[in-house]
Amino acid sequence: MNVQIDHSLEEIRRFRPSPEFAAQAVAGPELAEAASADRLAFWADQARSLLTWSTPFTRTLDWSNPPFAKWFDDGELNVAANCLDRHVEAGNGDRVALYFEGEPGDSRAITYAELTAEVKRAANVLIGLGVKPGDRVAVYLPLIPEAVIAMLAIARVGAIHSVVFGGFSADSLASRIDDAEASVVITADGGYRKGKVFPLKPTVDEAVAKSAGSVGHVLVVRRGENEVDWVEGRDHWWHELAAEASDEHEAPAFNAEHPLFILYTSGTTGKPKGILHTSGGYLTQAAFTHRNVFDLHPERDVYWCTADVGWITGHSYVVYGPLANGATQVIYEGTPDTPHPGRWWEIIEKYGVTIFYTAPTAIRSFMKAGRQIPQSFNLRTLRVLGSVGEPINPEAWIWYRHVIGGGSIPVVDTWWQTETGAIMISALPGITDLKPGSAQVPVPGISIDVLTDEGDPVDGTSGGLLTVTEPWPSMLRGIWGDPERFQETYWAKFGDRYFAGDGARRDEDGDIWLLGRVDDVMNVSGHRLSTAEIESSLVAHPLTAEAAVVGASDETTGQAVVAFVILKDRQVSAASDTEATSQELRAHVAKEIGAIARPRQVFIVNELPKTRSGKIMRRLLRDLAEGREVGDTTTLADTSIMEIISAQVR
Ligand code: 6R9
């Protein structure tokens, strides 16, 4: 088997679904047939059958003012009640919604009835703090049940959540608080990470102090039991207010286009974009894809998606999709290797996980650590594996299927984005012949095309730009507070077709292969980082005159941040120890933006390669960072520059 894996980079194999799997699969060929017969009727059917509407809709799509779509817009529903109350009313209140596994080994099983009661309490707490429909509430929490409860409580009262990943810095949190003018922040004293308590409350204190002053209340979950400072009147313990709050709360109905959340993601400029999602269409597509792509049988499956709720995957495939579908799922607070490198596999064994959804970067780091680790656990309950965040190389795909999946279960590679809200391209496990390395086919009801830069269809199997040609239910409705940037970023290029920012090609069978970003956005361990944002953080350091950042390919993380920095003249002598200086700059970026943005390397150089018009040629720096021969330098203002830089980097 090793021999096969070593030679699998040019993967040509297909894996047909087994007849047993196909026979029990929730998605059959009729889905795609119905969708191609009448796309809008198909989505309307999904919205009616997967969700419970307080006021049924009669209109499916309003696309009269592109790119501003409205889906199901005369219908009303409460998103949280769709994830909670209706399952209890249907007699499934005793089903476990969440198996929580804390990093130190504490655990809790929370049923749908219990989760519903907790969310009602939290909704009453928010109302008590003055939160009204349409208000923005920032969430800065570890992956603990209260993160899920907070998001659902915010949705339940019609407010808008903005979840900020707990690894982000005070500055990043402050800018997100300001952009959305959040009135409340929900955080914890701290959470567990790599065996230690990682404080969160001090970061919130710093962020609120730096922010423009919209925050009136900070609600603090007790988790790490670390010491925290307290601002009387502003700060409240979650457990104290929840204990006083009623667990009765009637969920009000909101319009299908009522905003549900804002989630910030990196763009090509330094300023993160607040991607806005609304209620009915988002929940329809999250639930539809979660059920059909993962072949969910809610009465018997145990599902685990390893994403944090700070990312879109955590929104759609930890919170909204699984809970709308009444699934039982695992959430795990900590890191994969704490306290031992088999922690994830131990969790799969402990809970009998049947559906597992993770990222290629994690799979590759497990590959490095060796198959003996997962092989010492019982993973035989698994029956579907998913991948998301970046292209999965065929070698990792095969390893995932063989070593984790025992060699016979489907692996679905799911392409989508914060902006698309839910899965757009994926195999369906009971139907599609799987092809390692390809994300394969648009999900039923989604229209994808690969176009040239000019907007023409590409020739045959050549590469081009990935576009979505028809509006879809879970599409972003805009960028918070910036309709022009929304138009400019996604729609200006191809008119009313959505430009995703990814390169792609279709093979002879029509399967889609993703080729990575075509803009200045890097993908590090499945997380989007902007070169511009990291460059501006580097330039903000007193030692730095100029900086250029590139994403260099990295065996484990997909891409890694590599920076080239020119120091200010007067600082060069102060920074004579280049090793210490580059360490300092790496730490600076981690502090300013967050640990995920910490450059793998910072090279101190005297020059940067520029065109005559002064644009930095990052392509040449990427060649250097990836240890390749430097490409065409003829458009450089000074063609000798690359030799000087190469010598300095070596
Ligand atoms: C869900 C998520 C989106 C970007 C996207 C693309 C890359 C995600 C992928 C993939 C190839 C896959 N991406 N899934 N590339 N194959 N299966 O990751 O959202 O954080 O917004 O990132 O990630 O480049 O444009 P987000």
Side-chain angles (χ1 to χ4, degrees), residues 265 312-313 387-391 413-419 500 502 514 517 523 526 528:
T265 189
I312 190 66
T313 307
S387 174
V388 61
E390 57 176 312
D413 175 15
T414 62
W415 179 89
W416 59 295
Q417 308 176 296
T418 305
E419 292 88 340
D502 279 33
L514 276 304
R517 300 288 306 188
N523 188 326
R528 276 160 72 171

Side-chain angles (χ1 to χ4, degrees), residues 305-318:
C305 165
T306 62
D308 187 272
V309 291
W311 311 110
I312 190 66
T313 307
H315 283 59
S316 304
Y317 300 105
V318 175

Side-chain angles (χ1 to χ4, degrees), residues 263-266 275 311-314 316-317 357 360 387-392 412-423 425-426 437-439 466 498 500-503 512-519 521-523 525-529:
L263 184 60
Y264 288 85
T265 189
S266 299
I275 303 300
W311 311 110
I312 190 66
T313 307
S316 304
Y317 300 105
Y357 191 29
S387 174
V388 61
E390 57 176 312
I392 177 164
V412 288
D413 175 15
T414 62
W415 179 89
W416 59 295
Q417 308 176 296
T418 305
E419 292 88 340
T420 69
I423 295 171
I425 303 176
S426 172
S438 165
L466 188 75
Y498 171 85
D502 279 33
I512 299 165
W513 296 72
L514 276 304
L515 305 173
R517 300 288 306 188
V518 296
D519 52 17
V521 174
M522 293 170 287
N523 188 326
S525 297
H527 300 313
R528 276 160 72 171
L529 297 171

Side-chain angles (χ1 to χ4, degrees), residues 103-104 142 188-202 221-228 333 338:
E103 198 189 72
D189 47 2
Y192 289 89
R193 234 190 100 75
K194 294 194 193 289
K196 289 201 212 72
V197 172
F198 177 81
L200 291 168
K201 172 72 164 54
V221 176
R222 194 163 65 194
R223 171 67 185 154
E225 315 224 345
N226 45 315
E227 280 293 323
V228 291
E333 176 185 29
T338 308

Side-chain angles (χ1 to χ4, degrees), residues 407-642:
S408 61
I409 67 174
V411 175
V412 288
D413 175 15
T414 62
W415 179 89
W416 59 295
Q417 308 176 296
T418 305
E419 292 88 340
T420 69
I423 295 171
M424 302 290 279
I425 303 176
S426 172
L428 292 182
I431 304 174
T432 318
D433 286 355
L434 301 172
K435 195 183 279 181
S438 165
Q440 300 206 281
V441 287
V443 303
I446 297 300
S447 314
I448 299 279
D449 210 351
V450 180
L451 300 179
T452 66
D453 214 30
E454 289 74 42
D456 302 319
V458 294
D459 259 355
T461 59
S462 11
L465 302 174
L466 188 75
T467 64
V468 188
T469 58
E470 300 285 349
W472 64 102
S474 64
M475 66 194 284
L476 75 166
R477 300 300 196 263
I479 295 178
W480 183 257
D482 203 344
E484 271 144 46
R485 191 174 178 198
F486 173 55
Q487 300 239 18
E488 186 51 40
T489 310
Y490 305 106
W491 306 94
K493 197 166 175 68
F494 298 125
D496 61 359
R497 296 169 193 196
Y498 171 85
F499 169 54
D502 279 33
R505 70 176 192 90
R506 254 192 237 266
D507 67 17
E508 312 70 40
D509 304 324
D511 283 316
I512 299 165
W513 296 72
L514 276 304
L515 305 173
R517 300 288 306 188
V518 296
D519 52 17
D520 287 331
V521 174
M522 293 170 287
N523 188 326
V524 178
S525 297
H527 300 313
R528 276 160 72 171
L529 297 171
S530 124
T531 52
E533 191 180 3
I534 298 175
E535 284 169 3
S536 72
S537 151
L538 283 166
V539 179
H541 190 282
L543 288 176
T544 310
E546 245 192 298
V549 164
V550 298
S553 59
D554 184 281
E555 224 180 271
T556 307
T557 58
Q559 284 189 311
V561 179
V562 176
F564 297 82
V565 169
I566 303 179
L567 300 180
K568 286 182 186 149
D569 281 348
R570 62 180 182 287
Q571 305 288 6
V572 172
S573 56
S576 57
D577 181 352
T578 37
E579 181 52 33
T581 307
S582 59
Q583 289 305 338
E584 181 176 335
L585 293 172
R586 290 177 65 232
H588 168 77
V589 174
K591 183 173 174 301
E592 290 286 307
I593 301 175
I596 49 166
R598 187 198 312 271
R600 184 183 72 188
Q601 289 151 305
V602 173
F603 294 114
I604 310 293
V605 295
N606 292 340
E607 305 278 359
L608 290 171
K610 289 187 184 155
T611 61
R612 280 169 206 96
S613 64
K615 283 204 179 60
I616 296 175
M617 292 190 70
R618 292 190 182 74
R619 166 173 70 77
L620 301 176
L621 294 173
R622 201 171 304 123
D623 289 341
L624 265 191
E626 294 178 347
R628 249 195 319 272
E629 180 132 4
V630 172
D632 183 3
T633 56
T634 47
T635 52
L636 283 179
D638 175 352
T639 50
S640 66
I641 289 277
M642 282 316 290

Side-chain angles (χ1 to χ4, degrees), residues 83-102:
C83 295
L84 301 164
D85 311 43
R86 66 172 177 148
H87 303 315
V88 180
E89 286 153 18
N92 293 320
D94 292 338
R95 183 184 295 164
V96 172
L98 300 177
Y99 283 117
F100 167 66
E101 179 80 10

